[in-house]
PDB file of all heavy atoms in Angstrom:
ATOM      1  N   CYS A  25     -25.440 -15.380  12.075  1.00  0.00           N
ATOM      2  CA  CYS A  25     -26.509 -14.695  12.781  1.00  0.00           C
ATOM      3  C   CYS A  25     -26.506 -13.165  12.735  1.00  0.00           C
ATOM      4  O   CYS A  25     -25.334 -12.636  12.725  1.00  0.00           O
ATOM      5  CB  CYS A  25     -26.736 -15.284  14.240  1.00  0.00           C
ATOM      6  SG  CYS A  25     -26.651 -16.993  14.431  1.00  0.00           S
ATOM      7  N   ASP A  26     -27.604 -12.538  12.742  1.00  0.00           N
ATOM      8  CA  ASP A  26     -27.624 -11.115  12.896  1.00  0.00           C
ATOM      9  C   ASP A  26     -27.296 -10.732  14.359  1.00  0.00           C
ATOM     10  O   ASP A  26     -26.751  -9.639  14.566  1.00  0.00           O
ATOM     11  CB  ASP A  26     -28.852 -10.519  12.415  1.00  0.00           C
ATOM     12  CG  ASP A  26     -29.086 -10.697  11.011  1.00  0.00           C
ATOM     13  OD1 ASP A  26     -28.063 -10.651  10.217  1.00  0.00           O
ATOM     14  OD2 ASP A  26     -30.257 -10.763  10.488  1.00  0.00           O
ATOM     15  N   SER A  27     -27.819 -11.511  15.242  1.00  0.00           N
ATOM     16  CA  SER A  27     -27.567 -11.188  16.663  1.00  0.00           C
ATOM     17  C   SER A  27     -27.562 -12.559  17.520  1.00  0.00           C
ATOM     18  O   SER A  27     -28.095 -13.580  17.044  1.00  0.00           O
ATOM     19  CB  SER A  27     -28.732 -10.336  17.181  1.00  0.00           C
ATOM     20  OG  SER A  27     -29.983 -11.085  17.096  1.00  0.00           O
ATOM     21  N   VAL A  28     -27.013 -12.521  18.626  1.00  0.00           N
ATOM     22  CA  VAL A  28     -26.742 -13.530  19.446  1.00  0.00           C
ATOM     23  C   VAL A  28     -26.944 -13.057  20.893  1.00  0.00           C
ATOM     24  O   VAL A  28     -26.409 -12.172  21.293  1.00  0.00           O
ATOM     25  CB  VAL A  28     -25.362 -14.196  19.358  1.00  0.00           C
ATOM     26  CG1 VAL A  28     -25.178 -15.382  20.284  1.00  0.00           C
ATOM     27  CG2 VAL A  28     -25.146 -14.743  17.883  1.00  0.00           C
ATOM     28  N   SER A  29     -27.733 -13.957  21.584  1.00  0.00           N
ATOM     29  CA  SER A  29     -28.017 -13.669  22.941  1.00  0.00           C
ATOM     30  C   SER A  29     -27.405 -14.965  23.655  1.00  0.00           C
ATOM     31  O   SER A  29     -27.889 -16.058  23.306  1.00  0.00           O
ATOM     32  CB  SER A  29     -29.515 -13.456  23.305  1.00  0.00           C
ATOM     33  OG  SER A  29     -29.671 -13.324  24.638  1.00  0.00           O
ATOM     34  N   LEU A  30     -26.732 -14.777  24.724  1.00  0.00           N
ATOM     35  CA  LEU A  30     -26.122 -15.852  25.515  1.00  0.00           C
ATOM     36  C   LEU A  30     -26.524 -15.715  26.984  1.00  0.00           C
ATOM     37  O   LEU A  30     -26.107 -14.735  27.556  1.00  0.00           O
ATOM     38  CB  LEU A  30     -24.655 -16.024  25.238  1.00  0.00           C
ATOM     39  CG  LEU A  30     -23.928 -17.094  26.054  1.00  0.00           C
ATOM     40  CD1 LEU A  30     -24.340 -18.545  25.513  1.00  0.00           C
ATOM     41  CD2 LEU A  30     -22.408 -16.958  25.693  1.00  0.00           C
ATOM     42  N   CYS A  31     -27.124 -16.790  27.554  1.00  0.00           N
ATOM     43  CA  CYS A  31     -27.514 -16.688  28.930  1.00  0.00           C
ATOM     44  C   CYS A  31     -26.498 -17.524  29.634  1.00  0.00           C
ATOM     45  O   CYS A  31     -26.107 -18.608  29.402  1.00  0.00           O
ATOM     46  CB  CYS A  31     -28.959 -17.252  29.109  1.00  0.00           C
ATOM     47  SG  CYS A  31     -29.321 -17.413  30.894  1.00  0.00           S
ATOM     48  N   PHE A  32     -25.930 -16.832  30.806  1.00  0.00           N
ATOM     49  CA  PHE A  32     -24.895 -17.371  31.516  1.00  0.00           C
ATOM     50  C   PHE A  32     -25.347 -18.358  32.668  1.00  0.00           C
ATOM     51  O   PHE A  32     -24.653 -19.132  33.262  1.00  0.00           O
ATOM     52  CB  PHE A  32     -23.987 -16.407  32.207  1.00  0.00           C
ATOM     53  CG  PHE A  32     -23.195 -15.577  31.191  1.00  0.00           C
ATOM     54  CD1 PHE A  32     -23.399 -14.167  30.973  1.00  0.00           C
ATOM     55  CD2 PHE A  32     -22.333 -16.155  30.304  1.00  0.00           C
ATOM     56  CE1 PHE A  32     -22.775 -13.517  30.055  1.00  0.00           C
ATOM     57  CE2 PHE A  32     -21.619 -15.450  29.425  1.00  0.00           C
ATOM     58  CZ  PHE A  32     -21.751 -14.054  29.220  1.00  0.00           C
ATOM     59  N   SER A  33     -26.687 -18.258  32.928  1.00  0.00           N
ATOM     60  CA  SER A  33     -27.199 -19.034  33.993  1.00  0.00           C
ATOM     61  C   SER A  33     -27.890 -20.246  33.654  1.00  0.00           C
ATOM     62  O   SER A  33     -28.312 -21.090  34.479  1.00  0.00           O
ATOM     63  CB  SER A  33     -28.300 -18.212  34.861  1.00  0.00           C
ATOM     64  OG  SER A  33     -29.433 -17.967  34.019  1.00  0.00           O
ATOM     65  N   LYS A  34     -27.892 -20.641  32.407  1.00  0.00           N
ATOM     66  CA  LYS A  34     -28.433 -21.958  31.985  1.00  0.00           C
ATOM     67  C   LYS A  34     -27.290 -22.997  32.186  1.00  0.00           C
ATOM     68  O   LYS A  34     -26.961 -23.320  33.302  1.00  0.00           O
ATOM     69  CB  LYS A  34     -28.808 -21.864  30.510  1.00  0.00           C
ATOM     70  CG  LYS A  34     -29.854 -20.862  30.144  1.00  0.00           C
ATOM     71  CD  LYS A  34     -31.258 -21.327  30.455  1.00  0.00           C
ATOM     72  CE  LYS A  34     -32.209 -20.203  30.123  1.00  0.00           C
ATOM     73  NZ  LYS A  34     -33.464 -20.373  30.195  1.00  0.00           N
ATOM     74  N   GLY A  35     -26.832 -23.507  31.126  1.00  0.00           N
ATOM     75  CA  GLY A  35     -25.810 -24.590  31.256  1.00  0.00           C
ATOM     76  C   GLY A  35     -24.473 -24.163  31.901  1.00  0.00           C
ATOM     77  O   GLY A  35     -23.609 -24.951  32.278  1.00  0.00           O
ATOM     78  N   LEU A  36     -24.115 -22.854  31.871  1.00  0.00           N
ATOM     79  CA  LEU A  36     -22.812 -22.335  32.191  1.00  0.00           C
ATOM     80  C   LEU A  36     -22.693 -22.209  33.706  1.00  0.00           C
ATOM     81  O   LEU A  36     -21.595 -22.093  34.257  1.00  0.00           O
ATOM     82  CB  LEU A  36     -22.456 -21.154  31.423  1.00  0.00           C
ATOM     83  CG  LEU A  36     -22.452 -21.210  29.950  1.00  0.00           C
ATOM     84  CD1 LEU A  36     -22.023 -19.860  29.318  1.00  0.00           C
ATOM     85  CD2 LEU A  36     -21.580 -22.269  29.543  1.00  0.00           C
ATOM     86  N   GLY A  37     -23.777 -22.230  34.485  1.00  0.00           N
ATOM     87  CA  GLY A  37     -23.667 -22.251  35.928  1.00  0.00           C
ATOM     88  C   GLY A  37     -23.557 -20.887  36.709  1.00  0.00           C
ATOM     89  O   GLY A  37     -23.459 -20.921  37.806  1.00  0.00           O
ATOM     90  N   ALA A  38     -23.509 -19.797  35.978  1.00  0.00           N
ATOM     91  CA  ALA A  38     -23.533 -18.558  36.651  1.00  0.00           C
ATOM     92  C   ALA A  38     -24.867 -18.195  37.351  1.00  0.00           C
ATOM     93  O   ALA A  38     -25.919 -18.774  36.881  1.00  0.00           O
ATOM     94  CB  ALA A  38     -23.268 -17.417  35.721  1.00  0.00           C
ATOM     95  N   PRO A  39     -24.889 -17.489  38.447  1.00  0.00           N
ATOM     96  CA  PRO A  39     -26.207 -17.299  39.141  1.00  0.00           C
ATOM     97  C   PRO A  39     -27.186 -16.365  38.250  1.00  0.00           C
ATOM     98  O   PRO A  39     -28.362 -16.423  38.430  1.00  0.00           O
ATOM     99  CB  PRO A  39     -25.762 -16.527  40.397  1.00  0.00           C
ATOM    100  CG  PRO A  39     -24.465 -15.939  40.123  1.00  0.00           C
ATOM    101  CD  PRO A  39     -23.754 -16.849  39.107  1.00  0.00           C
ATOM    102  N   ALA A  40     -26.673 -15.600  37.405  1.00  0.00           N
ATOM    103  CA  ALA A  40     -27.494 -14.617  36.594  1.00  0.00           C
ATOM    104  C   ALA A  40     -26.613 -14.135  35.518  1.00  0.00           C
ATOM    105  O   ALA A  40     -25.435 -14.231  35.433  1.00  0.00           O
ATOM    106  CB  ALA A  40     -28.071 -13.532  37.483  1.00  0.00           C
ATOM    107  N   GLY A  41     -27.252 -13.384  34.494  1.00  0.00           N
ATOM    108  CA  GLY A  41     -26.465 -12.738  33.501  1.00  0.00           C
ATOM    109  C   GLY A  41     -26.618 -13.244  32.108  1.00  0.00           C
ATOM    110  O   GLY A  41     -26.895 -14.404  31.908  1.00  0.00           O
ATOM    111  N   ALA A  42     -26.486 -12.382  31.235  1.00  0.00           N
ATOM    112  CA  ALA A  42     -26.686 -12.655  29.734  1.00  0.00           C
ATOM    113  C   ALA A  42     -25.922 -11.590  29.003  1.00  0.00           C
ATOM    114  O   ALA A  42     -25.800 -10.380  29.525  1.00  0.00           O
ATOM    115  CB  ALA A  42     -28.042 -12.734  29.332  1.00  0.00           C
ATOM    116  N   VAL A  43     -25.653 -11.905  27.739  1.00  0.00           N
ATOM    117  CA  VAL A  43     -25.048 -10.816  26.817  1.00  0.00           C
ATOM    118  C   VAL A  43     -25.784 -10.886  25.559  1.00  0.00           C
ATOM    119  O   VAL A  43     -26.392 -11.970  25.168  1.00  0.00           O
ATOM    120  CB  VAL A  43     -23.479 -11.174  26.542  1.00  0.00           C
ATOM    121  CG1 VAL A  43     -22.671 -10.861  27.880  1.00  0.00           C
ATOM    122  CG2 VAL A  43     -23.309 -12.490  25.991  1.00  0.00           C
ATOM    123  N   LEU A  44     -25.695  -9.746  24.860  1.00  0.00           N
ATOM    124  CA  LEU A  44     -26.296  -9.536  23.565  1.00  0.00           C
ATOM    125  C   LEU A  44     -25.255  -9.104  22.562  1.00  0.00           C
ATOM    126  O   LEU A  44     -24.586  -8.133  22.962  1.00  0.00           O
ATOM    127  CB  LEU A  44     -27.471  -8.616  23.607  1.00  0.00           C
ATOM    128  CG  LEU A  44     -28.073  -8.315  22.271  1.00  0.00           C
ATOM    129  CD1 LEU A  44     -28.811  -9.490  21.759  1.00  0.00           C
ATOM    130  CD2 LEU A  44     -29.131  -7.125  22.466  1.00  0.00           C
ATOM    131  N   ALA A  45     -25.160  -9.753  21.484  1.00  0.00           N
ATOM    132  CA  ALA A  45     -24.139  -9.230  20.550  1.00  0.00           C
ATOM    133  C   ALA A  45     -24.814  -9.103  19.155  1.00  0.00           C
ATOM    134  O   ALA A  45     -25.724  -9.875  18.824  1.00  0.00           O
ATOM    135  CB  ALA A  45     -23.018 -10.368  20.306  1.00  0.00           C
ATOM    136  N   GLY A  46     -24.466  -8.100  18.421  1.00  0.00           N
ATOM    137  CA  GLY A  46     -25.114  -7.785  17.258  1.00  0.00           C
ATOM    138  C   GLY A  46     -24.606  -6.521  16.574  1.00  0.00           C
ATOM    139  O   GLY A  46     -23.682  -5.923  17.062  1.00  0.00           O
ATOM    140  N   ARG A  47     -25.306  -5.944  15.640  1.00  0.00           N
ATOM    141  CA  ARG A  47     -24.999  -4.690  15.046  1.00  0.00           C
ATOM    142  C   ARG A  47     -25.079  -3.671  16.159  1.00  0.00           C
ATOM    143  O   ARG A  47     -25.860  -3.652  17.096  1.00  0.00           O
ATOM    144  CB  ARG A  47     -26.043  -4.274  13.994  1.00  0.00           C
ATOM    145  CG  ARG A  47     -25.935  -5.243  12.771  1.00  0.00           C
ATOM    146  CD  ARG A  47     -26.936  -4.797  11.637  1.00  0.00           C
ATOM    147  NE  ARG A  47     -28.092  -4.040  12.137  1.00  0.00           N
ATOM    148  CZ  ARG A  47     -29.249  -4.576  12.673  1.00  0.00           C
ATOM    149  NH1 ARG A  47     -29.372  -5.929  12.611  1.00  0.00           N
ATOM    150  NH2 ARG A  47     -30.286  -3.904  12.971  1.00  0.00           N
ATOM    151  N   ARG A  48     -24.198  -2.574  16.005  1.00  0.00           N
ATOM    152  CA  ARG A  48     -24.164  -1.507  16.891  1.00  0.00           C
ATOM    153  C   ARG A  48     -25.524  -0.886  17.247  1.00  0.00           C
ATOM    154  O   ARG A  48     -25.806  -0.605  18.338  1.00  0.00           O
ATOM    155  CB  ARG A  48     -23.207  -0.520  16.479  1.00  0.00           C
ATOM    156  CG  ARG A  48     -22.815   0.678  17.335  1.00  0.00           C
ATOM    157  CD  ARG A  48     -21.853   1.591  16.820  1.00  0.00           C
ATOM    158  NE  ARG A  48     -20.643   1.049  16.264  1.00  0.00           N
ATOM    159  CZ  ARG A  48     -19.553   0.670  16.866  1.00  0.00           C
ATOM    160  NH1 ARG A  48     -19.321   0.950  18.109  1.00  0.00           N
ATOM    161  NH2 ARG A  48     -18.519   0.115  16.131  1.00  0.00           N
TER     162      ARG A  48
END
């Protein structure tokens, strides 16, 4: 993938938050 977004509040159970990874 060129970029990845991961939401922590879906299946992972955090109350909120996400990360984005990709090119600088």
Side-chain angles (χ1 to χ4, degrees):
C25 304
D26 292 330
S27 63
V28 175
S29 175
L30 180 63
C31 179
F32 296 118
S33 66
K34 302 274 182 177
L36 300 181
V43 292
L44 174 68
R47 293 182 334 276
R48 186 178 315 269

